[in-house]
Amino acid sequence: MGVLQTLAPSDLRRVVSTYRDVLRRHQDELNRLNVYPVPDGDTGTNMALTLESVVDELPDDGSAMPEVCEAIRHGSLMGARGNSGVILSQILRGLADTFSPLEAVSAHDVIAGLRRAADAAYQAVLRPVEGTILTVVRLAAEAVEHGFVSGEASLADVLDRAAAAAHDAVARTPDLLPVLRDAGVVDAGGRGFELLLAACLSVVAERPVPEPEAVATPPAVAAHLHHEVDVGELRYEVMYLLHAADATIPQFKRAWGELGDSIVVVGGDGLWNCHVHTNDIGAAIEAGIAAGRPATIRVTDLHEQVEQLEEEAWVRDQSAPPPIEPVATGVVAVAVGDGLRRLLHSLGVQHVVAGGQSMNPSTAQILEAVHACEAESVIVLPNNKNIVPVARQVPDLADRPVSVVPTTAVVEALSALVAYDAAAPLAENIAAMDEAAGRVRAGEVTRAVRDSVAECGPISAGDWIAITRDGVCVSEKSPADATIALVDRLIDDDAELVTIVVGVEADAADTARITEHLELAHPDVEVEVHEGDQPLYPYLVGVE
């Protein structure tokens, strides 16, 4: 094909697709480099998922530049995952905004685009930190600006200079950020941006993309993983799309600035992708409600992510990891909380996908877990009504027979798993598990984030509410009172077992009060209490 002098719309599509493929190949490398702002090992995954969203929106080949650039803008905004993914989405937006009016992208257009991308990335972050992807994209932009102030430059020349500057900047990130230096790694996000320039050179000049580098688990990360040092005071990552007028965003950022750190807010024209690390999930969501309408809320327990990384690192680092026994029928379940993850594994679940209310995993994530099962067929337990339709898309995409037991609560899944037989065929398991899940009357207790009215009467922000399949049925001033009212409502004359899953924010005295009430008020009912460690919901209840 030869060296390109400009990028046509079809070439830009190839850059995006190539970058997605490169990120997937380097995903494990980037994850292992991820020690800042917390060592949660997901930078590579988040950047790759962000590009997956962009690729999914790309128009057919032959489309004009505005359509391709709009797909890049919208796909990266809607699909951005994690701190690194949100910043990357703003970099891509800066490039797309520059290229959109053009018929073809020249060398000097790339120079302008990199400057716009760097400025946009810095503006998106409330408290910019040097030694991160921000530094790398800025130095790449400055290098091409200073190198080609006047005179002609080829597209390959500009990209070569930008790539060299990015490579040097990544190498110097440990000098700017002590946590990287102490861990003996470079910045993961900066390395991910360096791969974007490699993808550009692959399309423009047919350069080979770099091979993934073997990255050992750094000693500092291992210390985090084995709980020898604190993983940080801010436990939760909260992300959501925010439908809000642009004028409300400065106040929204100030509100979030008082709640946490790693704050990134990107978007415009009434739609924003928002990311924060905080200890106050409710307040982070309430700030969005004050500004507009939050949607697609995702909450990640960063401490739990570190424990998951510990398991993954152990598997990778063992010379002979214990094999997973192949089964006739495997199970994938969706849940959040370290205790729930352990409980589900103990009941035979092969893979747990992180997710639940306000934290909905994608079809791709569930599909990846299905393909990782050592099983001839797989059952998916979505455990949330919003995730059921997402899970139902998996059977048509999977490489083996897959069925969904449409559980809308994790307590339904626990009952279904009692009926699960790994050696039995798929159809037999589906019948038994569906029947077992259907016997469960489920409910959950959480805190109201706004004033409202339900069938139970007026609800004030801060009240503890109990929710069943029929909606909000109880409003009380304490989680214990709400849970007691919930179990009394769910238990009938035929009830034999009450299962209570205790969340990370539950109080031990409240839990004791609830179990004492059950012993006195319902002495004929067996009670099981499990530590689930789920956020947002101190108590999940199932009665059967």
Side-chain angles (χ1 to χ4, degrees), residues 176-505:
L176 300 174
L177 200 53
V179 66
L180 300 178
R181 182 184 64 241
D182 294 343
V185 297
V186 297
D187 180 66
R191 173 65 172 153
F193 172 74
E194 185 184 351
L195 295 173
L196 170 58
L197 298 173
C200 291
L201 282 166
S202 174
V203 172
V204 169
E206 299 183 344
R207 304 279 177 80
V209 295
E211 291 297 319
E213 297 180 7
V215 179
T217 303
V221 177
H224 279 296
L225 296 177
H226 292 91
H227 311 294
E228 296 168 10
V229 293
D230 190 9
V231 300
E233 296 179 356
L234 301 175
R235 175 156 189 168
Y236 300 105
E237 177 186 67
V238 179
M239 289 190 68
Y240 50 73
L241 295 173
L242 178 62
H243 298 270
D246 295 7
T248 67
I249 298 304
Q251 177 58 37
F252 171 73
K253 288 182 177 180
R254 286 192 290 272
W256 263 20
E258 297 176 359
L259 294 175
D261 210 337
S262 297
I263 296 165
V264 188
V265 180
V266 304
D269 300 324
L271 181 62
W272 305 81
N273 197 316
C274 311
H275 172 282
V276 65
H277 289 175
T278 183
N279 285 327
D280 196 335
I281 300 168
I285 297 173
E286 287 171 8
I289 295 171
R293 179 169 59 86
T296 319
I297 301 170
R298 294 194 297 269
V299 178
T300 302
D301 186 331
L302 298 172
H303 291 205
E304 179 188 336
Q305 273 199 337
V306 169
E307 292 193 3
Q308 289 175 333
L309 182 59
E310 177 184 14
E311 290 184 1
E312 294 165 4
W314 182 87
V315 170
R316 286 192 296 257
D317 292 342
Q318 301 305 304
S319 58
I324 298 176
E325 291 295 329
V327 295
T329 304
V331 178
V332 168
V334 179
V336 63
D338 186 53
L340 274 174
R341 185 161 49 86
R342 288 195 301 267
L343 180 59
L344 290 167
H345 282 313
S346 73
L347 291 171
V349 173
Q350 286 198 351
H351 292 280
V352 177
V353 179
Q357 187 67 24
S358 78
M359 183 184 172
N360 297 339
S362 65
T363 299
Q365 288 173 287
I366 300 174
L367 181 64
E368 183 178 5
V370 166
H371 288 167
C373 284
E374 291 290 337
E376 297 172 9
S377 58
V378 178
I379 292 171
V380 178
L381 302 173
N383 300 334
N384 184 278
K385 66 179 182 181
N386 294 330
I387 303 174
V388 171
V390 176
R392 289 195 189 279
Q393 298 181 60
V394 173
D396 291 336
L397 303 172
D399 61 0
R400 68 199 72 183
V402 175
S403 289
V404 177
V405 175
T407 50
T408 59
V410 74
V411 288
E412 296 174 8
L414 299 180
S415 179
L417 288 166
V418 173
Y420 164 61
D421 181 356
L426 179 64
E428 184 177 320
N429 270 304
I430 285 291
M433 295 172 71
D434 194 61
E435 180 184 0
R439 292 196 299 265
V440 179
R441 296 184 294 280
E444 56 202 17
V445 172
T446 189
R447 199 163 204 169
V449 298
R450 69 180 80 178
D451 295 345
S452 61
V453 177
E455 289 188 9
C456 61
I459 299 171
S460 300
D463 285 353
W464 291 94
I465 55 176
I467 307 169
T468 67
R469 292 190 186 101
D470 298 325
V472 178
C473 61
V474 172
S475 177
E476 298 286 352
K477 296 302 180 183
S478 76
D481 287 337
T483 306
I484 288 169
L486 174 63
V487 296
D488 286 347
R489 179 178 290 265
L490 293 176
I491 291 175
D492 60 15
D493 293 340
D494 297 326
E496 298 178 352
L497 172 67
V498 175
T499 301
I500 298 176
V501 182
V502 181
V504 69
E505 297 170 343

Side-chain angles (χ1 to χ4, degrees), residues 1 4 9-19 199 202-204:
M1 181 180 296
L4 300 178
S10 59
D11 300 320
L12 186 56
R13 289 180 76 262
R14 285 201 295 136
V15 167
V16 172
S17 298
T18 301
Y19 185 36
S202 174
V203 172
V204 169

